[in-house]
Amino acid sequence: MTREELTNLALSALGQGLADERQEAMGTLATLILRGRANAFGMLHAYALIATRSWAQRHGSADRDGLWVFGAVDEEGADVLIDAVEPHQVFAMRFSVACANDDDAMMAALFEAAAGHPDPFYFPQCAIAVYDLALESLRDVAPDAVP
């Protein structure tokens, strides 16, 4: 798959998500995942970039040390222990924060750990969590783009 084809499919899935066509979006994600590890990594990287650029647009720059960090909050904004968060959601945040911090080695390590996980459902759940993070970030910064 060419970079252009990968980009078009990844953006198509986001468009489907913004249009509340979740089933179609999941089919597009499955296509990207099944095209091999390099394409799956490219897709996750693209979604992490979208999420992190949206964060920067919404919240400004990283902390005083120039690094992004993450935490979990509930619907009311109260802190939640990371142990209470689903593992695939933790993956999505760690992968996206590594992307925001330009930590390619960490992104690669996280990806390999998820892609090589013995549970065959774990990696797809991780990919969906990164996709959902990008989609949520887009909706957060561009609510008018949502149909």
Side-chain angles (χ1 to χ4, degrees), residues 95-131:
F95 188 87
S96 297
V97 168
C99 178
N101 291 332
D102 294 321
D103 191 343
D104 295 338
M106 179 58 75
M107 285 189 337
L110 289 165
F111 176 84
E112 288 302 323
H117 197 278
D119 178 352
F121 298 104
Y122 183 72
F123 181 71
Q125 289 174 331
C126 289
I128 291 168
V130 175
Y131 165 83

PDB file of all heavy atoms in Angstrom, residues 95-131:
ATOM      1  N   PHE A  95       0.994   5.763  23.595  1.00  0.00           N
ATOM      2  CA  PHE A  95       1.465   5.858  22.222  1.00  0.00           C
ATOM      3  C   PHE A  95       1.364   7.299  21.720  1.00  0.00           C
ATOM      4  O   PHE A  95       2.298   7.829  21.116  1.00  0.00           O
ATOM      5  CB  PHE A  95       0.649   4.913  21.324  1.00  0.00           C
ATOM      6  CG  PHE A  95       1.186   4.789  19.929  1.00  0.00           C
ATOM      7  CD1 PHE A  95       2.172   3.860  19.636  1.00  0.00           C
ATOM      8  CD2 PHE A  95       0.703   5.599  18.913  1.00  0.00           C
ATOM      9  CE1 PHE A  95       2.678   3.739  18.348  1.00  0.00           C
ATOM     10  CE2 PHE A  95       1.196   5.486  17.620  1.00  0.00           C
ATOM     11  CZ  PHE A  95       2.183   4.557  17.339  1.00  0.00           C
ATOM     12  N   SER A  96       0.243   7.947  22.006  1.00  0.00           N
ATOM     13  CA  SER A  96       0.042   9.322  21.541  1.00  0.00           C
ATOM     14  C   SER A  96       0.964  10.303  22.253  1.00  0.00           C
ATOM     15  O   SER A  96       1.485  11.233  21.629  1.00  0.00           O
ATOM     16  CB  SER A  96      -1.426   9.727  21.729  1.00  0.00           C
ATOM     17  OG  SER A  96      -2.247   8.900  20.939  1.00  0.00           O
ATOM     18  N   VAL A  97       1.192  10.090  23.535  1.00  0.00           N
ATOM     19  CA  VAL A  97       2.116  10.960  24.266  1.00  0.00           C
ATOM     20  C   VAL A  97       3.541  10.752  23.757  1.00  0.00           C
ATOM     21  O   VAL A  97       4.295  11.720  23.598  1.00  0.00           O
ATOM     22  CB  VAL A  97       2.000  10.741  25.791  1.00  0.00           C
ATOM     23  CG1 VAL A  97       3.145  11.402  26.531  1.00  0.00           C
ATOM     24  CG2 VAL A  97       0.662  11.278  26.288  1.00  0.00           C
ATOM     25  N   ALA A  98       3.916   9.518  23.469  1.00  0.00           N
ATOM     26  CA  ALA A  98       5.246   9.266  22.885  1.00  0.00           C
ATOM     27  C   ALA A  98       5.368  10.000  21.553  1.00  0.00           C
ATOM     28  O   ALA A  98       6.416  10.586  21.250  1.00  0.00           O
ATOM     29  CB  ALA A  98       5.477   7.772  22.706  1.00  0.00           C
ATOM     30  N   CYS A  99       4.302   9.998  20.772  1.00  0.00           N
ATOM     31  CA  CYS A  99       4.298  10.727  19.497  1.00  0.00           C
ATOM     32  C   CYS A  99       4.450  12.223  19.754  1.00  0.00           C
ATOM     33  O   CYS A  99       5.261  12.886  19.101  1.00  0.00           O
ATOM     34  CB  CYS A  99       3.002  10.425  18.744  1.00  0.00           C
ATOM     35  SG  CYS A  99       2.833  11.306  17.189  1.00  0.00           S
ATOM     36  N   ALA A 100       3.693  12.752  20.699  1.00  0.00           N
ATOM     37  CA  ALA A 100       3.760  14.184  21.013  1.00  0.00           C
ATOM     38  C   ALA A 100       5.159  14.583  21.466  1.00  0.00           C
ATOM     39  O   ALA A 100       5.613  15.692  21.186  1.00  0.00           O
ATOM     40  CB  ALA A 100       2.740  14.540  22.093  1.00  0.00           C
ATOM     41  N   ASN A 101       5.827  13.673  22.144  1.00  0.00           N
ATOM     42  CA  ASN A 101       7.175  13.944  22.648  1.00  0.00           C
ATOM     43  C   ASN A 101       8.266  13.563  21.655  1.00  0.00           C
ATOM     44  O   ASN A 101       9.447  13.580  21.993  1.00  0.00           O
ATOM     45  CB  ASN A 101       7.391  13.214  23.982  1.00  0.00           C
ATOM     46  CG  ASN A 101       6.549  13.802  25.093  1.00  0.00           C
ATOM     47  OD1 ASN A 101       6.212  14.973  25.076  1.00  0.00           O
ATOM     48  ND2 ASN A 101       6.190  12.972  26.050  1.00  0.00           N
ATOM     49  N   ASP A 102       7.861  13.202  20.432  1.00  0.00           N
ATOM     50  CA  ASP A 102       8.812  12.792  19.384  1.00  0.00           C
ATOM     51  C   ASP A 102       9.700  11.640  19.838  1.00  0.00           C
ATOM     52  O   ASP A 102      10.874  11.574  19.494  1.00  0.00           O
ATOM     53  CB  ASP A 102       9.683  13.972  18.914  1.00  0.00           C
ATOM     54  CG  ASP A 102       8.862  15.036  18.218  1.00  0.00           C
ATOM     55  OD1 ASP A 102       7.931  14.689  17.461  1.00  0.00           O
ATOM     56  OD2 ASP A 102       9.148  16.226  18.434  1.00  0.00           O
ATOM     57  N   ASP A 103       9.131  10.725  20.603  1.00  0.00           N
ATOM     58  CA  ASP A 103       9.873   9.573  21.115  1.00  0.00           C
ATOM     59  C   ASP A 103       9.588   8.358  20.232  1.00  0.00           C
ATOM     60  O   ASP A 103       8.763   7.495  20.562  1.00  0.00           O
ATOM     61  CB  ASP A 103       9.480   9.314  22.567  1.00  0.00           C
ATOM     62  CG  ASP A 103      10.384   8.307  23.260  1.00  0.00           C
ATOM     63  OD1 ASP A 103      11.115   7.572  22.557  1.00  0.00           O
ATOM     64  OD2 ASP A 103      10.333   8.247  24.499  1.00  0.00           O
ATOM     65  N   ASP A 104      10.262   8.311  19.090  1.00  0.00           N
ATOM     66  CA  ASP A 104      10.041   7.240  18.123  1.00  0.00           C
ATOM     67  C   ASP A 104      10.352   5.862  18.695  1.00  0.00           C
ATOM     68  O   ASP A 104       9.662   4.883  18.384  1.00  0.00           O
ATOM     69  CB  ASP A 104      10.873   7.467  16.858  1.00  0.00           C
ATOM     70  CG  ASP A 104      10.449   8.712  16.097  1.00  0.00           C
ATOM     71  OD1 ASP A 104       9.295   9.160  16.271  1.00  0.00           O
ATOM     72  OD2 ASP A 104      11.275   9.238  15.323  1.00  0.00           O
ATOM     73  N   ALA A 105      11.376   5.765  19.520  1.00  0.00           N
ATOM     74  CA  ALA A 105      11.747   4.478  20.108  1.00  0.00           C
ATOM     75  C   ALA A 105      10.630   3.959  21.013  1.00  0.00           C
ATOM     76  O   ALA A 105      10.308   2.760  20.989  1.00  0.00           O
ATOM     77  CB  ALA A 105      13.056   4.599  20.887  1.00  0.00           C
ATOM     78  N   MET A 106      10.020   4.835  21.787  1.00  0.00           N
ATOM     79  CA  MET A 106       8.929   4.418  22.663  1.00  0.00           C
ATOM     80  C   MET A 106       7.708   4.023  21.840  1.00  0.00           C
ATOM     81  O   MET A 106       7.044   3.027  22.134  1.00  0.00           O
ATOM     82  CB  MET A 106       8.562   5.527  23.659  1.00  0.00           C
ATOM     83  CG  MET A 106       7.406   5.157  24.578  1.00  0.00           C
ATOM     84  SD  MET A 106       7.702   3.664  25.565  1.00  0.00           S
ATOM     85  CE  MET A 106       8.842   4.289  26.771  1.00  0.00           C
ATOM     86  N   MET A 107       7.406   4.791  20.790  1.00  0.00           N
ATOM     87  CA  MET A 107       6.272   4.438  19.928  1.00  0.00           C
ATOM     88  C   MET A 107       6.490   3.048  19.335  1.00  0.00           C
ATOM     89  O   MET A 107       5.569   2.223  19.317  1.00  0.00           O
ATOM     90  CB  MET A 107       6.078   5.463  18.806  1.00  0.00           C
ATOM     91  CG  MET A 107       5.478   6.755  19.274  1.00  0.00           C
ATOM     92  SD  MET A 107       4.994   7.921  17.973  1.00  0.00           S
ATOM     93  CE  MET A 107       5.950   7.509  16.588  1.00  0.00           C
ATOM     94  N   ALA A 108       7.688   2.788  18.846  1.00  0.00           N
ATOM     95  CA  ALA A 108       7.985   1.490  18.240  1.00  0.00           C
ATOM     96  C   ALA A 108       7.879   0.367  19.270  1.00  0.00           C
ATOM     97  O   ALA A 108       7.317  -0.701  18.981  1.00  0.00           O
ATOM     98  CB  ALA A 108       9.378   1.505  17.608  1.00  0.00           C
ATOM     99  N   ALA A 109       8.389   0.599  20.473  1.00  0.00           N
ATOM    100  CA  ALA A 109       8.330  -0.426  21.522  1.00  0.00           C
ATOM    101  C   ALA A 109       6.887  -0.716  21.936  1.00  0.00           C
ATOM    102  O   ALA A 109       6.499  -1.878  22.087  1.00  0.00           O
ATOM    103  CB  ALA A 109       9.154   0.014  22.737  1.00  0.00           C
ATOM    104  N   LEU A 110       6.101   0.332  22.097  1.00  0.00           N
ATOM    105  CA  LEU A 110       4.693   0.143  22.450  1.00  0.00           C
ATOM    106  C   LEU A 110       3.942  -0.604  21.347  1.00  0.00           C
ATOM    107  O   LEU A 110       3.155  -1.515  21.617  1.00  0.00           O
ATOM    108  CB  LEU A 110       4.023   1.494  22.720  1.00  0.00           C
ATOM    109  CG  LEU A 110       4.448   2.201  24.004  1.00  0.00           C
ATOM    110  CD1 LEU A 110       4.008   3.657  23.988  1.00  0.00           C
ATOM    111  CD2 LEU A 110       3.890   1.468  25.217  1.00  0.00           C
ATOM    112  N   PHE A 111       4.215  -0.216  20.103  1.00  0.00           N
ATOM    113  CA  PHE A 111       3.564  -0.867  18.972  1.00  0.00           C
ATOM    114  C   PHE A 111       3.916  -2.353  18.927  1.00  0.00           C
ATOM    115  O   PHE A 111       3.043  -3.207  18.779  1.00  0.00           O
ATOM    116  CB  PHE A 111       3.972  -0.195  17.658  1.00  0.00           C
ATOM    117  CG  PHE A 111       3.408  -0.881  16.444  1.00  0.00           C
ATOM    118  CD1 PHE A 111       2.128  -0.580  16.009  1.00  0.00           C
ATOM    119  CD2 PHE A 111       4.143  -1.830  15.759  1.00  0.00           C
ATOM    120  CE1 PHE A 111       1.592  -1.230  14.903  1.00  0.00           C
ATOM    121  CE2 PHE A 111       3.620  -2.481  14.657  1.00  0.00           C
ATOM    122  CZ  PHE A 111       2.337  -2.178  14.228  1.00  0.00           C
ATOM    123  N   GLU A 112       5.200  -2.676  19.039  1.00  0.00           N
ATOM    124  CA  GLU A 112       5.632  -4.073  18.972  1.00  0.00           C
ATOM    125  C   GLU A 112       5.034  -4.892  20.113  1.00  0.00           C
ATOM    126  O   GLU A 112       4.636  -6.045  19.906  1.00  0.00           O
ATOM    127  CB  GLU A 112       7.155  -4.173  18.958  1.00  0.00           C
ATOM    128  CG  GLU A 112       7.776  -3.724  17.657  1.00  0.00           C
ATOM    129  CD  GLU A 112       7.275  -4.491  16.437  1.00  0.00           C
ATOM    130  OE1 GLU A 112       7.043  -5.715  16.526  1.00  0.00           O
ATOM    131  OE2 GLU A 112       7.101  -3.859  15.379  1.00  0.00           O
ATOM    132  N   ALA A 113       4.952  -4.311  21.296  1.00  0.00           N
ATOM    133  CA  ALA A 113       4.362  -5.024  22.424  1.00  0.00           C
ATOM    134  C   ALA A 113       2.880  -5.303  22.176  1.00  0.00           C
ATOM    135  O   ALA A 113       2.396  -6.408  22.455  1.00  0.00           O
ATOM    136  CB  ALA A 113       4.545  -4.226  23.711  1.00  0.00           C
ATOM    137  N   ALA A 114       2.172  -4.326  21.635  1.00  0.00           N
ATOM    138  CA  ALA A 114       0.741  -4.514  21.365  1.00  0.00           C
ATOM    139  C   ALA A 114       0.515  -5.463  20.197  1.00  0.00           C
ATOM    140  O   ALA A 114      -0.331  -6.358  20.258  1.00  0.00           O
ATOM    141  CB  ALA A 114       0.073  -3.163  21.097  1.00  0.00           C
ATOM    142  N   ALA A 115       1.278  -5.281  19.121  1.00  0.00           N
ATOM    143  CA  ALA A 115       1.101  -6.125  17.928  1.00  0.00           C
ATOM    144  C   ALA A 115       1.483  -7.574  18.205  1.00  0.00           C
ATOM    145  O   ALA A 115       0.927  -8.490  17.592  1.00  0.00           O
ATOM    146  CB  ALA A 115       1.919  -5.567  16.768  1.00  0.00           C
ATOM    147  N   GLY A 116       2.410  -7.785  19.116  1.00  0.00           N
ATOM    148  CA  GLY A 116       2.847  -9.134  19.439  1.00  0.00           C
ATOM    149  C   GLY A 116       2.141  -9.742  20.641  1.00  0.00           C
ATOM    150  O   GLY A 116       2.517 -10.821  21.105  1.00  0.00           O
ATOM    151  N   HIS A 117       1.134  -9.065  21.149  1.00  0.00           N
ATOM    152  CA  HIS A 117       0.420  -9.543  22.334  1.00  0.00           C
ATOM    153  C   HIS A 117      -0.252 -10.890  22.038  1.00  0.00           C
ATOM    154  O   HIS A 117      -0.780 -11.088  20.953  1.00  0.00           O
ATOM    155  CB  HIS A 117      -0.635  -8.505  22.749  1.00  0.00           C
ATOM    156  CG  HIS A 117      -1.137  -8.686  24.133  1.00  0.00           C
ATOM    157  ND1 HIS A 117      -2.118  -9.594  24.448  1.00  0.00           N
ATOM    158  CD2 HIS A 117      -0.803  -8.072  25.290  1.00  0.00           C
ATOM    159  CE1 HIS A 117      -2.381  -9.536  25.738  1.00  0.00           C
ATOM    160  NE2 HIS A 117      -1.584  -8.621  26.278  1.00  0.00           N
ATOM    161  N   PRO A 118      -0.229 -11.824  23.000  1.00  0.00           N
ATOM    162  CA  PRO A 118      -0.815 -13.143  22.749  1.00  0.00           C
ATOM    163  C   PRO A 118      -2.340 -13.125  22.549  1.00  0.00           C
ATOM    164  O   PRO A 118      -2.881 -14.012  21.896  1.00  0.00           O
ATOM    165  CB  PRO A 118      -0.432 -13.966  23.985  1.00  0.00           C
ATOM    166  CG  PRO A 118      -0.034 -12.986  25.019  1.00  0.00           C
ATOM    167  CD  PRO A 118       0.420 -11.744  24.311  1.00  0.00           C
ATOM    168  N   ASP A 119      -3.014 -12.138  23.100  1.00  0.00           N
ATOM    169  CA  ASP A 119      -4.467 -12.033  22.910  1.00  0.00           C
ATOM    170  C   ASP A 119      -4.717 -11.433  21.530  1.00  0.00           C
ATOM    171  O   ASP A 119      -4.343 -10.283  21.276  1.00  0.00           O
ATOM    172  CB  ASP A 119      -5.061 -11.146  24.000  1.00  0.00           C
ATOM    173  CG  ASP A 119      -6.563 -10.939  23.863  1.00  0.00           C
ATOM    174  OD1 ASP A 119      -7.154 -11.349  22.838  1.00  0.00           O
ATOM    175  OD2 ASP A 119      -7.151 -10.352  24.785  1.00  0.00           O
ATOM    176  N   PRO A 120      -5.351 -12.159  20.609  1.00  0.00           N
ATOM    177  CA  PRO A 120      -5.539 -11.651  19.249  1.00  0.00           C
ATOM    178  C   PRO A 120      -6.453 -10.437  19.163  1.00  0.00           C
ATOM    179  O   PRO A 120      -6.464  -9.748  18.144  1.00  0.00           O
ATOM    180  CB  PRO A 120      -6.146 -12.846  18.499  1.00  0.00           C
ATOM    181  CG  PRO A 120      -6.765 -13.692  19.562  1.00  0.00           C
ATOM    182  CD  PRO A 120      -5.926 -13.485  20.802  1.00  0.00           C
ATOM    183  N   PHE A 121      -7.187 -10.151  20.216  1.00  0.00           N
ATOM    184  CA  PHE A 121      -8.081  -8.992  20.212  1.00  0.00           C
ATOM    185  C   PHE A 121      -7.421  -7.740  20.778  1.00  0.00           C
ATOM    186  O   PHE A 121      -7.936  -6.643  20.638  1.00  0.00           O
ATOM    187  CB  PHE A 121      -9.363  -9.300  20.997  1.00  0.00           C
ATOM    188  CG  PHE A 121     -10.155 -10.423  20.399  1.00  0.00           C
ATOM    189  CD1 PHE A 121     -10.149 -11.676  20.979  1.00  0.00           C
ATOM    190  CD2 PHE A 121     -10.891 -10.221  19.237  1.00  0.00           C
ATOM    191  CE1 PHE A 121     -10.866 -12.719  20.420  1.00  0.00           C
ATOM    192  CE2 PHE A 121     -11.614 -11.254  18.667  1.00  0.00           C
ATOM    193  CZ  PHE A 121     -11.608 -12.507  19.255  1.00  0.00           C
ATOM    194  N   TYR A 122      -6.273  -7.914  21.443  1.00  0.00           N
ATOM    195  CA  TYR A 122      -5.636  -6.782  22.110  1.00  0.00           C
ATOM    196  C   TYR A 122      -5.185  -5.703  21.123  1.00  0.00           C
ATOM    197  O   TYR A 122      -5.495  -4.525  21.301  1.00  0.00           O
ATOM    198  CB  TYR A 122      -4.455  -7.249  22.972  1.00  0.00           C
ATOM    199  CG  TYR A 122      -3.816  -6.121  23.736  1.00  0.00           C
ATOM    200  CD1 TYR A 122      -4.468  -5.549  24.824  1.00  0.00           C
ATOM    201  CD2 TYR A 122      -2.575  -5.612  23.368  1.00  0.00           C
ATOM    202  CE1 TYR A 122      -3.897  -4.501  25.526  1.00  0.00           C
ATOM    203  CE2 TYR A 122      -1.991  -4.569  24.069  1.00  0.00           C
ATOM    204  CZ  TYR A 122      -2.659  -4.013  25.136  1.00  0.00           C
ATOM    205  OH  TYR A 122      -2.098  -2.969  25.819  1.00  0.00           O
ATOM    206  N   PHE A 123      -4.453  -6.079  20.103  1.00  0.00           N
ATOM    207  CA  PHE A 123      -3.959  -5.060  19.172  1.00  0.00           C
ATOM    208  C   PHE A 123      -5.097  -4.332  18.457  1.00  0.00           C
ATOM    209  O   PHE A 123      -5.072  -3.099  18.382  1.00  0.00           O
ATOM    210  CB  PHE A 123      -2.964  -5.632  18.163  1.00  0.00           C
ATOM    211  CG  PHE A 123      -2.461  -4.568  17.228  1.00  0.00           C
ATOM    212  CD1 PHE A 123      -1.603  -3.579  17.687  1.00  0.00           C
ATOM    213  CD2 PHE A 123      -2.872  -4.529  15.913  1.00  0.00           C
ATOM    214  CE1 PHE A 123      -1.157  -2.570  16.838  1.00  0.00           C
ATOM    215  CE2 PHE A 123      -2.431  -3.527  15.054  1.00  0.00           C
ATOM    216  CZ  PHE A 123      -1.570  -2.549  15.525  1.00  0.00           C
ATOM    217  N   PRO A 124      -6.107  -5.028  17.939  1.00  0.00           N
ATOM    218  CA  PRO A 124      -7.218  -4.281  17.336  1.00  0.00           C
ATOM    219  C   PRO A 124      -7.885  -3.314  18.325  1.00  0.00           C
ATOM    220  O   PRO A 124      -8.250  -2.198  17.949  1.00  0.00           O
ATOM    221  CB  PRO A 124      -8.189  -5.372  16.873  1.00  0.00           C
ATOM    222  CG  PRO A 124      -7.312  -6.555  16.631  1.00  0.00           C
ATOM    223  CD  PRO A 124      -6.243  -6.467  17.700  1.00  0.00           C
ATOM    224  N   GLN A 125      -8.010  -3.727  19.594  1.00  0.00           N
ATOM    225  CA  GLN A 125      -8.569  -2.823  20.598  1.00  0.00           C
ATOM    226  C   GLN A 125      -7.684  -1.597  20.791  1.00  0.00           C
ATOM    227  O   GLN A 125      -8.178  -0.479  20.956  1.00  0.00           O
ATOM    228  CB  GLN A 125      -8.753  -3.550  21.932  1.00  0.00           C
ATOM    229  CG  GLN A 125      -9.860  -4.573  21.928  1.00  0.00           C
ATOM    230  CD  GLN A 125      -9.903  -5.357  23.229  1.00  0.00           C
ATOM    231  OE1 GLN A 125      -8.882  -5.550  23.911  1.00  0.00           O
ATOM    232  NE2 GLN A 125     -11.083  -5.828  23.587  1.00  0.00           N
ATOM    233  N   CYS A 126      -6.371  -1.813  20.773  1.00  0.00           N
ATOM    234  CA  CYS A 126      -5.428  -0.691  20.896  1.00  0.00           C
ATOM    235  C   CYS A 126      -5.562   0.256  19.706  1.00  0.00           C
ATOM    236  O   CYS A 126      -5.572   1.478  19.869  1.00  0.00           O
ATOM    237  CB  CYS A 126      -3.994  -1.207  20.998  1.00  0.00           C
ATOM    238  SG  CYS A 126      -3.618  -2.028  22.553  1.00  0.00           S
ATOM    239  N   ALA A 127      -5.655  -0.309  18.513  1.00  0.00           N
ATOM    240  CA  ALA A 127      -5.790   0.515  17.308  1.00  0.00           C
ATOM    241  C   ALA A 127      -7.081   1.322  17.354  1.00  0.00           C
ATOM    242  O   ALA A 127      -7.083   2.516  17.031  1.00  0.00           O
ATOM    243  CB  ALA A 127      -5.754  -0.372  16.066  1.00  0.00           C
ATOM    244  N   ILE A 128      -8.163   0.697  17.777  1.00  0.00           N
ATOM    245  CA  ILE A 128      -9.439   1.407  17.885  1.00  0.00           C
ATOM    246  C   ILE A 128      -9.338   2.513  18.928  1.00  0.00           C
ATOM    247  O   ILE A 128      -9.863   3.618  18.735  1.00  0.00           O
ATOM    248  CB  ILE A 128     -10.579   0.428  18.210  1.00  0.00           C
ATOM    249  CG1 ILE A 128     -10.841  -0.480  17.002  1.00  0.00           C
ATOM    250  CG2 ILE A 128     -11.852   1.170  18.616  1.00  0.00           C
ATOM    251  CD1 ILE A 128     -11.737  -1.668  17.307  1.00  0.00           C
ATOM    252  N   ALA A 129      -8.633   2.258  20.020  1.00  0.00           N
ATOM    253  CA  ALA A 129      -8.487   3.273  21.076  1.00  0.00           C
ATOM    254  C   ALA A 129      -7.706   4.484  20.563  1.00  0.00           C
ATOM    255  O   ALA A 129      -8.050   5.633  20.882  1.00  0.00           O
ATOM    256  CB  ALA A 129      -7.811   2.673  22.306  1.00  0.00           C
ATOM    257  N   VAL A 130      -6.665   4.270  19.770  1.00  0.00           N
ATOM    258  CA  VAL A 130      -5.911   5.398  19.202  1.00  0.00           C
ATOM    259  C   VAL A 130      -6.796   6.151  18.207  1.00  0.00           C
ATOM    260  O   VAL A 130      -6.838   7.386  18.199  1.00  0.00           O
ATOM    261  CB  VAL A 130      -4.596   4.929  18.546  1.00  0.00           C
ATOM    262  CG1 VAL A 130      -3.876   6.089  17.862  1.00  0.00           C
ATOM    263  CG2 VAL A 130      -3.679   4.292  19.578  1.00  0.00           C
ATOM    264  N   TYR A 131      -7.519   5.410  17.377  1.00  0.00           N
ATOM    265  CA  TYR A 131      -8.470   6.019  16.434  1.00  0.00           C
ATOM    266  C   TYR A 131      -9.495   6.867  17.196  1.00  0.00           C
ATOM    267  O   TYR A 131      -9.765   8.014  16.836  1.00  0.00           O
ATOM    268  CB  TYR A 131      -9.170   4.911  15.631  1.00  0.00           C
ATOM    269  CG  TYR A 131     -10.403   5.365  14.898  1.00  0.00           C
ATOM    270  CD1 TYR A 131     -10.301   5.986  13.653  1.00  0.00           C
ATOM    271  CD2 TYR A 131     -11.669   5.169  15.438  1.00  0.00           C
ATOM    272  CE1 TYR A 131     -11.440   6.408  12.977  1.00  0.00           C
ATOM    273  CE2 TYR A 131     -12.797   5.584  14.770  1.00  0.00           C
ATOM    274  CZ  TYR A 131     -12.687   6.195  13.539  1.00  0.00           C
ATOM    275  OH  TYR A 131     -13.808   6.615  12.877  1.00  0.00           O
TER     276      TYR A 131
END
